Amino acid sequence: MIQVIQAQNIGLAYLEERFGLQQAKDEEFFPEWFENLPEIPDLEKQDLDKIKVNFLRLVKRPPLSEETVKLVVVSPLLNLAGFYDDPFYIRGEQSIEISAEDEGEIIRGRIDVLVIQEQLWLLVIESKRSSFSLLEAIPQALVYMLANPNPDKPVFGCVTNGEDFQFIKLLKQDKPEYALSDKFTLSRRKNELYQVLSIFKNLSQILS
């Protein structure tokens, strides 16, 4: 009998045991989040300052849902990064199903935002309500990234609860390996959305 598991109930230990997932130890595995990042123009910094203000104002009146986080924070960032433009396509609520060999288990879930280019999966975004920890969101995003039908290509991810952001890179080739960026947060005085957008822009340039 096949057991169906929801992606949001998966932890890293399960992925390590069932899929052989490993965290890369080499810092050069994921240079895309810190090397050759583009500068953000002043006009776009003003947009990012407004996004931060809007989010922090909404946080004062909880609860803040996943849909609100996507609307107020994620969507404007993707627009500024160029992911709504050719050659990219955005798909929301993309269903996935993945199974480990001979385990009799299937993992199912729905990707919040998927960026594709000619059927190639490029970027998976998992957004959570503002009270949700990124540590809980990372395994779910990795499940979706493992479902990438193009194992010879890297796939990138981003998890956010609106306040915090963290980027992920996954390569499936010989054995699945992943790495995480530093965590960026809106709780600091400096607007770290500047760095978040710079990473998104760098990924859009690399992937296009």
Side-chain angles (χ1 to χ4, degrees):
M1 182 176 176
I2 300 295
Q3 181 183 2
V4 177
I5 306 171
Q6 296 303 313
Q8 66 264 29
N9 298 325
I10 295 296
L12 280 175
Y14 178 94
L15 298 178
E16 290 168 359
E17 179 184 342
R18 294 292 196 276
F19 295 91
L21 181 68
Q22 298 180 20
Q23 187 167 8
K25 294 180 173 59
D26 185 358
E27 192 174 83
E28 290 304 310
F29 180 86
F30 189 10
E32 294 89 350
W33 77 266
F34 61 85
E35 281 188 358
N36 303 315
L37 298 181
E39 289 290 327
I40 303 300
D42 288 341
L43 196 60
E44 292 184 358
K45 287 182 179 178
Q46 293 175 24
D47 292 332
L48 296 172
D49 291 341
K50 183 65 173 173
I51 292 170
K52 180 177 178 178
V53 168
N54 288 341
F55 175 78
L56 294 178
R57 183 172 65 86
L58 288 169
V59 167
K60 294 178 182 178
R61 298 179 183 273
L64 193 59
S65 69
E66 290 181 32
E67 289 305 314
T68 305
V69 169
K70 284 192 283 187
L71 182 66
V72 175
V73 181
V74 175
S75 182
L77 283 172
L78 293 179
N79 183 42
L80 288 169
F83 282 116
Y84 288 142
D85 302 330
D86 190 61
F88 304 114
Y89 292 91
I90 299 286
R91 289 184 180 172
E93 297 298 321
Q94 182 81 9
S95 297
I96 67 101
E97 190 172 281
I98 183 173
S99 61
E101 291 184 10
D102 302 323
E103 293 294 342
E105 295 171 337
I106 292 175
I107 307 171
R108 288 181 181 157
R110 297 179 73 85
I111 302 171
D112 285 338
V113 180
L114 175 64
V115 179
I116 64 172
Q117 179 187 10
E118 295 179 353
Q119 304 307 310
L120 292 177
W121 287 25
L122 305 178
L123 178 64
V124 170
I125 298 176
E126 178 62 26
S127 65
K128 294 296 184 185
R129 59 186 181 274
S130 58
S131 59
F132 209 90
S133 167
L134 295 194
L135 289 175
E136 298 174 71
I138 287 169
Q140 187 175 348
L142 282 166
V143 168
Y144 301 149
M145 294 165 75
L146 283 166
N148 176 18
N150 307 104
D152 57 327
K153 301 286 186 181
V155 62
F156 297 92
C158 178
V159 292
T160 181
N161 57 13
E163 177 185 5
D164 303 318
F165 295 79
Q166 197 157 15
F167 292 87
I168 311 168
K169 180 179 181 179
L170 175 75
L171 271 172
K172 287 175 65 176
Q173 292 174 339
D174 295 331
K175 61 181 184 297
E177 275 191 293
Y178 75 98
L180 304 173
S181 73
D182 285 350
K183 184 168 73 173
F184 303 94
T185 181
L186 300 190
S187 60
R188 297 193 181 101
R189 184 176 303 172
K190 178 184 175 183
N191 190 351
E192 295 193 353
L193 283 179
Y194 298 174
Q195 292 161 280
V196 171
L197 178 58
S198 188
I199 295 168
F200 271 130
K201 284 193 170 202
N202 194 40
L203 293 179
S204 72
Q205 291 169 7
I206 292 168
L207 296 171
S208 62

